[in-house]
Amino acid sequence: MFLTITARGPSATDLSHLLHKHPDKVQQFDVADGVAHVFYPERNDDRCTVALLVEVDPIALVRGRKGRDADGFSLAQYVNDRPYAASSLLAVALGRVFRTAMAGTCRARPELPGQRRPLELHVPALSCRGGSPLAEQLFAPLGWQVTTTTVPLDPTIPAWGDSRYVDLRLNGCSTLADALTQLYVLLPVLDGSKHYWENRDEVDKLLRAGERWLPGHPDRELIVARYLRHHRSLGTAAVARLAEVDDAEPEAFDNAVDAEPPAQGQPVGDLSAGDSPAGSAAVAGSAGAGSTEGRSTEAGSTEGRSTTGPLSAGSSLADRRRAEVLAVLREVGATRVVDLGCGEGALLRDLLADPVFTRIVGADVSPRALDLAARRLDLDRLPERTRERLQLMQSSLTYRDERLAGFDAAVLMEVLEHVDPQRLPAVARTVFGWARPNTVVVTTPNAEYNVHYKNLFPGALRHRDHRFEWTREEFADWTQDTAARYGYTVRVLPVGDVDPQLGPSTQLALFTRTDATTAENNVPRRTEQ
């Protein structure tokens, strides 16, 4: 197996400093099942090339091997492409030989690792199950110009056609650390198999290697699935941690529900079990974090109910919350809306019911929640013109996603309380600093109002998945700091019943971008809490 990395330009020789490999020496390293050699076939003022040659011992690959493959055709265990075609074996060698460079550290020249430089990566023989299109699909979004040449099965017998191997060249401007970690992850992804047993440590390896680029990759789910192809549970864990909810299963996170005040004369239920104080199951869901909003199984169920019309006096807190969000969106004149943490689509249903909203996007971290949203919205049965207004996408609030930019308004309805406090700055950067919609609507429970929930112990939270719940003062501090930091103005409005001393059951913050075309002065004033 062979790989070359070429740096171009006046500082090309910095490559040897970054790799911590002396350019005048041929160095040898023991790696799993073989030996790796590092040398510099080319080094001058404006061009420097390092080569990694991995010699694999096919006997060592088979020795001690157990399981299904050991019972197969014995000769095939020794005669195969593993010693020649780039695969997980080359990725492991990269991690062993260039570990410091992959970590982005250089003690002698600490200014070098963060510098982007013109690079060319060349893998003459790469096992690529998916062919040239897959290589283009995975590397091009990372900024590489991808050139591939498919290797024929036998050049002397054209009728046999092409093999699954390609000659891969990548040209682009990147830090060396990113280039190496992308190869480390994507070589086994393209090959579609690994030479070693996968365990939970693989999730940590994947997330460490891809932390700077994998979360924003448009095909990150495909990458995770192929990298951990033999263990679906590990893939689920990786997706959850990419979504920054690593201490909860995606389903648990996405099924988080909020609680609502009891209706008059009804018994108090068990909030910890997801019931409302009225005893009905999961009446007031959190549309953010993938809710089961409105999923009641008793009389007065809100499931399937739209809040586009007038609300009755007995309307649930979930209905009133969505109605208030819709009213705010109409007031600011938003027509293009993204629901961040859309869950099973309760708010999306209401947005679709109003033709004033011409582009609607529901984003959630969980594929399961998005599938449920699609079913609950009956997407397959919607009229074509209605269906064209809606898009569902998987995305995380803590990472940049270009698909989330360009909207009039973004909604985070009962989302923030499901995020660990130390990750809130990342959410703010993504929403207010990167996506920067004209309007941001945020709702969250008011912790002071929790005394009205008779089955909540003092200091307890409304739902087991809540990481925190803010008082009015704490919410005001966060909203004002966020608005000042990112160039927004903010007003806080009440939602639901209001206690004269303790405030409303739910708090709503309306952020307006100061340089937005729709100025705050044009927004009708609503009663602040």
Side-chain angles (χ1 to χ4, degrees), residues 118-193:
L119 296 174
E120 178 182 309
L121 314 179
H122 182 207
V123 184
L126 169 63
S127 175
C128 187
R129 300 173 193 269
S132 297
L134 182 60
E136 175 84 21
Q137 179 181 344
L138 297 186
F139 281 108
L142 299 172
W144 296 104
Q145 179 183 343
V146 183
T147 304
T148 57
T149 303
T150 304
V151 178
L153 278 174
D154 190 329
T156 65
I157 311 178
W160 284 7
D162 293 330
S163 70
R164 70 167 185 266
Y165 307 101
V166 299
D167 180 308
L168 174 70
R169 287 185 185 272
L170 304 175
N171 282 276
C173 190
S174 172
T175 64
L176 181 62
D178 282 350
L180 291 174
T181 56
Q182 288 160 12
L183 285 175
Y184 177 82
V185 171
L186 297 181
L187 287 179
V189 167
L190 290 168
D191 180 37
S193 65

Side-chain angles (χ1 to χ4, degrees), residues 242-446:
L242 279 173
E244 293 295 331
V245 290
D246 39 296
D247 56 350
E249 288 297 314
E251 290 80 1
F253 180 82
D254 289 328
N255 286 335
V257 294
D258 189 15
E260 68 176 63
Q264 180 118 14
Q266 288 188 322
V268 175
D270 178 11
L271 287 181
S272 66
D275 294 347
S276 76
S280 61
V283 174
S286 91
S291 88
T292 51
E293 178 164 352
R295 187 195 297 165
S296 174
T297 58
E298 299 190 2
S301 168
T302 62
E303 183 165 358
R305 181 192 302 172
S306 171
T307 60
T308 55
L311 294 177
S312 65
S315 297
S316 70
L317 178 59
D319 287 342
R320 297 164 76 180
R321 182 190 301 122
R322 295 199 309 275
E324 190 71 15
V325 169
L326 289 167
V328 167
L329 294 174
R330 294 182 183 113
E331 287 175 357
V332 300
T335 61
R336 299 168 300 165
V337 179
V338 56
D339 182 7
L340 300 173
C342 66
E344 297 177 19
L347 181 63
L348 299 177
R349 180 177 59 243
D350 295 337
L351 292 169
L352 276 175
D354 189 340
V356 73
F357 301 110
T358 57
R359 185 186 178 204
I360 305 164
V361 169
D364 203 286
V365 65
S366 170
R368 178 178 177 272
L370 295 173
D371 288 343
L372 288 172
R375 291 200 294 271
R376 292 186 66 183
L377 294 169
D378 288 329
L379 291 191
D380 294 339
R381 302 180 183 179
L382 289 177
E384 183 176 353
R385 292 184 63 181
T386 303
R387 177 67 184 86
E388 289 174 350
R389 293 162 51 211
L390 176 66
Q391 179 185 1
L392 299 178
M393 66 171 65
Q394 186 178 16
S395 186
S396 169
L397 279 176
T398 53
Y399 296 108
R400 268 188 194 183
D401 189 332
E402 293 183 356
R403 299 172 299 173
L404 301 181
F407 289 88
D408 299 326
V411 177
L412 294 94
M413 191 165 69
E414 308 300 287
V415 171
L416 293 185
E417 62 271 18
H418 294 271
V419 179
D420 288 329
Q422 64 268 27
R423 292 170 180 152
L424 290 176
V427 173
R429 283 194 300 271
T430 299
V431 177
F432 296 92
W434 168 247
R436 291 193 63 75
N438 293 348
T439 299
V440 181
V441 182
V442 177
T443 74
T444 193
N446 171 21

Side-chain angles (χ1 to χ4, degrees), residues 18 48 84 89 91 105 123 131 172 202 227 229 247 250 261 320 333-334 338 345 369 393 415 479 496 519:
L18 286 163
C48 182
Y84 313 107
L89 289 162
T105 59
V123 184
E202 291 300 294
Y227 189 89
R229 66 190 299 262
D247 56 350
R320 297 164 76 180
V338 56
M393 66 171 65
V415 171
T479 58

Side-chain angles (χ1 to χ4, degrees), residues 10-85:
S11 59
T13 55
D14 288 343
L15 185 63
S16 61
H17 292 286
L18 286 163
L19 293 171
H20 298 266
K21 301 295 179 285
H22 199 287
D24 296 328
K25 296 180 180 179
V26 175
Q27 296 176 266
Q28 180 175 303
F29 304 86
D30 291 329
V31 296
D33 305 316
V35 178
H37 306 272
V38 177
F39 55 96
Y40 290 78
E42 178 184 30
R43 183 172 182 266
N44 53 51
D45 292 340
D46 59 359
R47 189 176 174 89
C48 182
T49 299
V50 65
L52 174 63
L53 173 64
V54 181
E55 292 184 297
V56 175
D57 180 356
I59 305 299
L61 273 177
V62 178
R63 189 181 295 122
R65 194 170 185 176
K66 299 179 181 180
R68 180 184 60 188
D69 293 341
D71 298 327
F73 176 45
S74 59
L75 183 58
Q77 299 180 62
Y78 299 93
V79 183
N80 54 52
D81 65 351
R82 298 294 88 176
Y84 313 107

